[in-house]
Amino acid sequence: MDMSSIWYYWASGALGILIFLTVGIKKWRSKRLPPGPFALPLLGHLHLLEPNVHECLSKISEKYGPLMSFKFGMKTSIVVSSSSMAKEILKDNDQTFANRSIPVVARCIAYDASDILWSPSGPRWRLLRKICVKELFSPKSTEALQPLRREEVRRTIGNIYKDSVKGVSVDVGAKAFMTSLNLITNMMWSTSTETGERGMEFKDLVGELVYVLGVPNASDLFPFLERMDVQGLYRRMQKVFVRFDRLFDSIIQDRMSGKSKGQDFLQSLLDLVERGVDEHDPDSVQLTMKDVKVLLMDMVTGSTDTTSNTVEWAMAELLQQPEIMQRAQKELEQVVGLDNIVEERHLSQLPYLDIIVKEILRLHPALPLLAPHRPEKDCEIGGYIIPKDTQVLINVWSIQRNPKAWKDPLVFDPERFADSKWDYNGRDFDYFPFGSGRRICAGLSMANRMVHYALASLLHSFDWSLPVGEKLNMAEKYGIVLRKAVPLVAIPKPRLLQPNLYD
């Protein structure tokens, strides 16, 4: 073989290797995870986490960017901290990210993750969501249930009035929680939890459920520990589930035996079970008794703590800035009058109250990291690859405090929403407290109305102040629902002109 031939083969081989390496490097780069901090063996990035996880992840994103990769134990998680990255996931790739990453304890409490929040996107999930939207959250249903909301809010105001006459301070969050729980159960099966032996049990169970869901679980981080349940969280949640299930069985049995009656959500569900599959709808799915209990569970657990915490945060922020509270009360005086109580028909005439609620949900979104998403396949986001079945956490708390989108983002300033485009539809990714895309909160309209009505009633009926010598603690406590670390306790002073208005 002459030198020219050797040179030719050597050059061809070198070129082939170069092409191979170039393509390989490009392919490797295209499949790499987003950047993230240095990870320890086995623990991954757990050593970096602080009690308020949402705030900790927000600080880390300042160094590593809006799309970060973490290893929490053996579990890979992607954290999103910018509106542009959130848009790519929740709008541009909505279908791919429509499923959930399910915590171990949620598989127990949610009837094997078969509820609206955790179940995979598909015909059955669409049926459950459609039932909620049509039977409970439609404009017709919302209007029909107005007397129930009025009754429950008035009952709360009456109870607070009795405390105010005695000079007793009030746990605002606890009052708002019981109002929400009473309202939801009354809407579900026409019985308030304040009456009957089931009342306190429901209250205890909802509180226990939210707490256990918010505790970091080693079984989620190290799957090989799941069988051992080293923290006992699954066993603890299983006890909650069994008690819930028994309560729902007894409620359903009372209705089916004729012991209880009502044209409510429960009755609508039982009618759908009896009706069976719609032969004219190819996507129709048979609703079962298990589905009935799933939906009752969703409504009771998903609508109480989130609503009451939003009201509590609102009252706390207003106590910090009494001039804003006074302006809201002046608006209420002009629209409602101190010789009358707040009615839902007044809400549309209270624009200042509306922007207060919007600002509260910007600063204190109920779910700071939303519910975790899970891609059904590898997907490219922001030039990086998000692997199939990775847990994706969207830090809406951080996004809604971004100084590039919001002036003085840490300041409570309702005026930033005056004459603005912002609403709750999830289409603008600088502000989406209820989520976005096909998994946006199904009860958005009802939650919004409940918060507005409860807050308006508290502000119109009473002047509020802190107990003498007390300072307002605005620290947050991270969990699946964002809470105040220290419950808000305040002193109410009646404002209405006639005492009988509190009856």
Side-chain angles (χ1 to χ4, degrees):
M1 183 179 294
D2 58 22
M3 288 299 296
S4 61
S5 298
I6 293 173
W7 174 254
Y8 171 78
Y9 285 114
W10 183 88
S12 299
L15 181 61
I17 291 171
L18 182 61
I19 293 172
F20 174 79
L21 290 174
T22 302
V23 172
I25 291 171
K26 186 176 180 181
K27 186 176 181 182
W28 174 79
R29 283 180 175 171
S30 70
K31 289 202 170 186
R32 62 178 178 161
L33 290 171
F38 172 77
L40 295 177
L42 188 61
L43 293 178
H45 297 99
L46 288 178
H47 64 292
L48 297 176
L49 294 184
E50 299 170 2
N52 280 337
V53 177
H54 58 297
E55 187 173 359
C56 170
L57 294 175
S58 181
K59 291 176 182 176
I60 296 174
S61 72
E62 294 174 6
K63 180 176 181 179
Y64 292 96
L67 198 66
M68 300 181 292
S69 174
F70 289 88
K71 199 80 172 180
F72 297 135
M74 299 175 66
K75 190 167 193 173
T76 300
S77 295
I78 304 299
V79 178
V80 179
S81 303
S82 77
S83 57
S84 59
M85 294 296 101
K87 178 177 178 291
E88 280 198 51
I89 289 171
L90 297 178
K91 182 179 179 182
D92 301 343
N93 296 279
D94 185 21
Q95 176 64 58
T96 299
F97 289 88
N99 291 328
R100 298 294 192 192
S101 178
I102 306 170
V104 169
V105 293
R107 297 178 201 155
C108 169
I109 196 64
Y111 292 87
D112 195 25
S114 60
D115 65 338
I116 295 177
L117 179 61
W118 300 110
S119 62
S121 178
R124 186 179 172 281
W125 172 79
R126 286 194 294 272
L127 171 67
L128 296 180
R129 186 178 176 90
K130 179 180 178 182
I131 289 171
C132 282
V133 172
K134 182 179 179 181
E135 302 294 339
L136 190 60
F137 302 132
S138 68
K140 181 180 178 181
S141 298
T142 299
E143 189 60 34
L145 293 168
Q146 188 274 333
L148 288 178
R149 292 191 292 275
R150 184 179 191 271
E151 178 185 346
E152 293 302 338
V153 171
R154 289 208 64 179
R155 180 184 299 172
T156 298
I157 296 301
N159 289 337
I160 294 175
Y161 176 74
K162 293 174 184 176
D163 291 334
S164 70
V165 171
K166 299 174 186 176
V168 176
S169 57
V170 170
D171 185 329
V172 175
K175 290 290 186 183
F177 179 88
M178 284 308 302
T179 303
S180 300
L181 186 58
N182 291 338
L183 174 57
I184 289 297
T185 55
N186 225 328
M187 291 161 58
M188 295 300 102
W189 53 80
S190 302
T191 303
S192 171
T193 53
E194 257 188 9
T195 60
E197 60 185 23
R198 295 177 181 137
M200 287 308 297
E201 186 166 14
F202 266 116
K203 180 178 182 295
D204 292 342
L205 288 176
V206 172
E208 176 75 349
L209 181 148
V210 172
Y211 171 77
V212 176
L213 271 176
V215 176
N217 190 352
S219 297
D220 289 319
L221 308 177
F222 304 96
F224 66 89
L225 294 176
E226 183 175 342
R227 287 179 176 272
M228 292 178 273
D229 189 25
V230 291
Q231 294 165 265
L233 293 174
Y234 188 86
R235 294 190 296 275
R236 189 169 172 176
M237 187 65 92
Q238 202 165 33
K239 292 177 181 178
V240 173
F241 168 74
V242 169
R243 291 171 65 192
F244 259 125
D245 193 60
R246 287 173 181 167
L247 282 170
F248 291 140
D249 277 336
S250 66
I251 290 166
I252 292 170
Q253 184 57 41
D254 285 351
R255 180 58 56 87
M256 296 184 72
S257 66
K259 189 175 179 179
S260 73
K261 296 181 180 179
Q263 289 303 314
D264 45 31
F265 189 54
L266 173 59
Q267 192 58 53
S268 297
L269 293 177
L270 294 176
D271 291 344
L272 288 171
V273 171
E274 186 176 352
R275 191 180 308 164
V277 176
D278 184 354
E279 297 179 356
H280 302 290
D281 183 358
D283 292 329
S284 181
V285 178
Q286 172 65 57
L287 196 71
T288 66
M289 281 299 180
K290 175 185 171 182
D291 295 325
V292 171
K293 290 191 283 187
V294 162
L295 287 168
L296 294 180
M297 178 78 81
D298 268 346
M299 296 304 104
V300 171
T301 60
S303 305
T304 48
D305 220 44
T306 51
T307 300
S308 61
N309 275 288
T310 300
V311 172
E312 185 179 18
W313 278 116
M315 291 297 296
E317 289 286 2
L318 291 172
L319 279 166
Q320 274 206 136
Q321 299 196 42
E323 68 281 0
I324 296 179
M325 180 186 290
Q326 290 164 11
R327 181 172 171 183
Q329 289 175 322
K330 184 176 180 181
E331 180 183 64
L332 283 157
E333 286 180 31
Q334 294 172 344
V335 173
V336 182
L338 291 176
D339 57 349
N340 202 355
I341 60 171
V342 179
E343 303 284 2
E344 284 193 21
R345 59 184 171 82
H346 294 130
L347 298 181
S348 62
Q349 306 170 56
L350 301 170
Y352 194 66
L353 181 81
D354 182 57
I355 63 175
I356 286 175
V357 173
K358 286 179 177 176
E359 176 69 343
I360 288 298
L361 289 169
R362 183 190 70 82
L363 274 176
H364 309 286
L367 276 64
L369 299 180
L370 300 182
H373 290 259
R374 177 176 60 84
E376 63 181 6
K377 61 183 180 181
D378 289 2
C379 185
E380 183 176 342
I381 300 292
Y384 298 98
I385 292 296
I386 311 300
K388 176 184 177 182
D389 294 334
T390 302
Q391 175 175 259
V392 178
L393 302 172
I394 298 176
N395 196 342
V396 68
W397 181 91
S398 180
I399 292 170
Q400 293 183 169
R401 291 172 177 234
N402 183 357
K404 294 180 181 179
W406 305 94
K407 182 181 178 181
D408 299 324
L410 303 185
V411 176
F412 174 67
D413 179 17
E415 288 292 337
R416 71 175 80 245
F417 285 96
D419 302 321
S420 74
K421 59 180 180 178
W422 309 104
D423 56 30
Y424 307 115
N425 61 24
R427 297 192 185 98
D428 192 307
F429 290 91
D430 285 316
Y431 183 74
F432 54 114
F434 292 95
S436 181
R438 68 190 64 209
R439 300 305 288 245
I440 194 171
C441 175
L444 189 161
S445 60
M446 181 64 73
N448 188 36
R449 183 173 294 219
M450 287 170 61
V451 168
H452 279 74
Y453 190 28
L455 182 60
S457 298
L458 291 173
L459 293 176
H460 185 59
S461 302
F462 304 99
D463 284 318
W464 296 87
S465 60
L466 295 175
V468 177
E470 292 288 329
K471 291 185 178 180
L472 195 58
N473 188 326
M474 295 296 287
E476 298 173 335
K477 183 178 180 181
Y478 174 78
I480 192 168
V481 175
L482 188 64
R483 295 171 174 268
K484 283 188 86 278
V486 178
L488 174 63
V489 176
I491 298 174
K493 179 181 178 182
R495 299 182 74 244
L496 301 182
L497 299 177
Q498 303 173 40
N500 66 304
L501 291 172
Y502 293 100
D503 295 335

